[in-house]
Amino acid sequence: MTKFILAIDQGTTSSRAILFDRAGHIHGAAQQEFRQFFPQPGWVEHDANEIWQSQRAVIDEVLRSNGVPASDIAAIGIANQRETTVLWDRATGEPVAPAIVWQDRRSTPCCEELRADGHEDLFQQKTGLVLDAYFSGPKLKWLLDNVPGARARAERGELAFGTVDSWLIFKMSGKHLTDPSNAARTLMFNIHTARWDDELLALLDISPGLLPEVVASSGVAAHTDARLFGVAVPIAGIAGDQQAATFGQACHSPGMAKNTYGTGCFMLMHTGQTATISQNKLISTIGWTLPKGTDYLLEGSVFMAGAAIQWLRDGLGIIKSAAEVEELALAVPDNGGVLFVPAFAGLGAPHWDAYARGTMVGMTRGTNKSHIARATLESIALQSADVLDAMQADAAMPLTQLRVDGGAARNNLLMQFQADILGVPVVRPVVTETTALGAAFLAGLAVGFWASQEEIAAQWQMERRFEPAMAKDERAQRMGEWRRAVERSRAWSQ
């Protein structure tokens, strides 16, 4: 019998490969960072070949270092950074331009033009999304408009578009595929009919021939080329990273919610098998498609979370590693009146202000690096509190607890402040690698490695529960101060 599921967790700053056993435990893991490119203000790019090379390297490493032959792998599950846009040559498999990362804002003028022409409601009603540069469709339009010869080549069927899942599947199998959770992040996919939408494609001036085939999130979609790993391994799970994390957190029924603290912060609430179109500037999105149907989620996306801690390390140099931020923040009893709005790439939900910029307020002569570290941690929780307020208004479901994961979820100071500012318990699981775990679960269900959702939900275990300890009056005061700071950051860039 095969012994493991191999989860690919292709993130914004690193590629990872993790082996899971039948108990949902990590048997081995490997990780490799890759370069980030910032060619102009508001632009963020990746080298798609470097993404593939780093992902291939960590797969080889995790198998080799753990003595696991590829024949012991039951299936591969893929979770990927979403919205990042890759355009490549079908014949050579080579990218025709750098990948445009989800954080990139260059397609804002395209979105503004569509909004001015009165199309915003149409996009929201069909896709569940806000008309914003965050999503893949406007990024793809920018590539077709600006890469010499790209539009003509696309019309001749020579090019292929994909989010990172599609790119990895193409490199591993030669197939051009995606799943509904990734397709739903493009502004080109109708989440109600589960099809690419001809009307939206026409508005974006994008040829349908560029687009991947959409397959189920859980199901054998392709097999790897046998030359890659020595045997052909089924690719059986595909999901955008945040949907995968929601599945991995066993948020399988309406009202359950999780927050992932990664490069950005992503809070998702299960809303059932019908899409809830937000009235509060959140995203309605497909969670996953299983044989029994499609589950939908409400999502609020915060662009800068762990990335703000990286900025303390790489930009300010006040810490040498992200792990040091908690100790530095604990050197002071509070933030000393400092509030930091990390709107380096604009503000996401529920503000959607592409022109907001990073802002620090309340500093005095007594402000030191510990206050800045504490304000940075608190900004992550405060942004998430804004999202939860909007989410509860949309879903009309009071949240009873928030399940958390991601790198910064290991920070106890941040998690306690998150519970305090939300007024609900924050629950951290034993396995915080829930993005990879969710991809593994989707793949394992497809090949019978796990028998049912009930079996995998039973594997979820709590590691620690953070109870809210802040008085309601103080919570209201802190949120009021935060919203004043957010207003200072808005519409700063022209």
Side-chain angles (χ1 to χ4, degrees), residues 408-489:
R410 300 187 190 98
N411 187 305
N412 292 332
L413 177 63
L414 172 59
M415 292 300 98
Q416 183 58 55
F417 185 73
Q418 187 70 87
D420 288 344
I421 207 68
L422 293 180
V424 297
V426 164
V427 182
R428 186 168 63 200
V430 170
V431 178
T432 57
E433 301 293 351
T434 53
T435 299
L437 183 59
F441 281 157
L442 289 166
L445 283 172
V447 297
F449 193 84
W450 291 291
S452 66
Q453 279 183 260
E454 289 72 25
E455 180 186 351
I456 61 179
Q459 293 183 357
W460 187 93
Q461 291 179 290
M462 181 179 74
E463 182 262 327
R464 183 165 171 182
R465 181 181 176 98
F466 297 86
E467 293 287 350
M470 186 180 287
K472 187 180 285 189
D473 288 350
E474 183 182 353
R475 190 181 307 134
Q477 179 188 340
R478 296 293 297 271
M479 287 304 299
E481 291 170 347
W482 165 250
R483 285 168 181 152
R484 284 174 60 210
V486 168
E487 284 306 311
R488 300 294 195 277
S489 76

Side-chain angles (χ1 to χ4, degrees), residues 174-252:
K175 298 286 184 71
H176 187 206
L177 307 172
T178 191
D179 91 301
S181 74
N182 280 294
R185 313 297 295 194
T186 63
L187 282 169
M188 300 183 286
F189 190 74
N190 188 315
I191 62 171
H192 311 288
T193 64
R195 283 182 165 79
W196 299 114
D197 192 280
D198 289 337
E199 186 178 11
L200 302 181
L201 290 173
L203 288 171
L204 288 164
D205 197 15
I206 289 170
S207 166
L210 278 168
L211 307 179
E213 178 188 353
V214 182
V215 298
S217 310
S218 180
V220 177
H223 287 77
T224 63
D225 188 317
R227 292 169 294 183
L228 271 181
F229 309 121
V231 295
V233 181
I235 300 169
I238 312 165
D241 53 8
Q242 300 313 318
Q243 289 97 325
T246 308
F247 199 79
Q249 282 275 35
C251 294
H252 299 163

Side-chain angles (χ1 to χ4, degrees), residues 226-406:
R227 292 169 294 183
L228 271 181
F229 309 121
V231 295
V233 181
I235 300 169
I238 312 165
D241 53 8
Q242 300 313 318
Q243 289 97 325
T246 308
F247 199 79
Q249 282 275 35
C251 294
H252 299 163
S253 55
M256 298 184 75
K258 71 90 199 175
N259 202 18
T260 294
Y261 301 80
T263 302
C265 240
F266 302 91
M267 188 181 292
L268 289 87
M269 177 183 280
H270 194 295
T271 59
Q273 296 205 316
T274 305
T276 299
I277 300 301
S278 175
Q279 304 302 309
N280 294 281
K281 296 189 175 181
L282 298 181
I283 293 162
S284 183
T285 197
I286 290 174
W288 46 81
T289 299
L290 305 178
K292 66 180 183 181
T294 297
D295 287 21
Y296 291 87
L297 308 170
L298 270 176
E299 175 178 339
S301 308
V302 169
F303 295 155
M304 289 286 161
I309 297 172
Q310 286 180 325
W311 174 72
L312 295 182
R313 181 192 69 188
D314 302 335
L316 293 188
I318 63 174
I319 53 174
K320 291 180 180 172
S321 71
E324 293 176 17
V325 70
E326 183 172 14
E327 183 181 355
L328 182 60
L330 283 168
V332 288
D334 54 45
N335 63 21
V338 177
L339 285 107
F340 175 39
V341 184
F344 296 125
L347 287 168
H351 309 288
W352 297 105
D353 185 345
Y355 299 104
R357 287 296 177 265
T359 304
M360 200 173 293
V361 297
M363 290 179 288
T364 67
R365 187 64 181 82
T367 299
N368 62 37
K369 61 185 181 181
S370 292
H371 296 117
I372 291 171
R374 194 165 187 122
T376 301
L377 285 179
E378 290 180 355
S379 75
I380 297 170
L382 288 159
Q383 290 177 98
S384 296
D386 277 344
V387 170
L388 182 65
D389 284 351
M391 192 168 281
Q392 294 196 121
D394 271 335
M397 297 177 189
L399 189 70
T400 55
Q401 63 168 234
L402 182 68
R403 294 185 172 186
V404 297
D405 55 68

